[in-house]
Amino acid sequence: QVRLVESGGGLVQAGGSLRLSCTNSGRTSLTYRMGWFRQAPGREREFVAAISWTGGVTFYADSVKGRITISKGNAKNTMYLQMNTVNPEDTAVYYCALSFRGSISDLRYDYWGQGTQVTVSS
């Protein structure tokens, strides 16, 4: 009932910007929080940012504070990740995630998208 699809990934030059999108085309009425994670080859999945669906409270990994902004779209079923001043260490597959419960600081999520590739060239 939850169908998460990411988009907006691609190749970007270091120092540039891009915006990732996540759309839930399935069940949306009980969305409590959503987040972004990323995973580079040979690395474990890493938390990036999260947002509560009521109130819009945000929570960021220390490594991306000031460069990355998570936000809700105008539509109830959309979420964005604005990435600025990207560097090659941002290269990864980016996944969006959704949970019907829990704190935005809880790194556990119940539903995941398939991911979108972000590659930053130096």
Side-chain angles (χ1 to χ4, degrees):
Q1 286 191 291
V2 173
R3 302 173 186 174
L4 302 176
V5 179
E6 303 92 340
S7 63
L11 178 64
V12 61
Q13 193 171 9
S17 301
L18 76 167
R19 187 181 72 169
L20 306 182
S21 301
C22 176
T23 299
N24 177 15
S25 60
R27 184 180 183 184
T28 62
S29 61
L30 297 180
T31 299
Y32 190 79
R33 59 188 173 97
M34 294 185 70
W36 286 96
F37 292 75
R38 64 187 182 185
Q39 187 170 23
R43 301 280 298 277
E44 291 189 355
R45 184 180 59 201
E46 176 188 31
F47 170 76
V48 177
I51 187 168
S52 65
W53 223 243
T54 57
V57 178
T58 58
F59 177 62
Y60 295 94
D62 289 340
S63 61
V64 302
K65 288 181 178 178
R67 299 193 301 114
I68 293 180
T69 302
I70 188 172
S71 63
K72 296 185 292 183
N74 292 330
K76 183 180 180 180
N77 63 340
T78 60
M79 178 181 65
Y80 301 103
L81 189 73
Q82 178 68 44
M83 303 176 61
N84 298 324
T85 319
V86 298
N87 60 68
E89 294 184 354
D90 294 320
T91 295
V93 176
Y94 283 71
Y95 300 91
C96 70
L98 181 150
S99 178
F100 293 145
R101 62 168 298 278
S103 169
I104 57 172
S105 62
D106 189 344
L107 302 185
R108 296 171 296 178
Y109 283 80
D110 299 313
Y111 303 97
W112 299 85
Q114 293 300 305
T116 184
Q117 176 71 49
V118 172
T119 302
V120 181
S121 62
S122 60

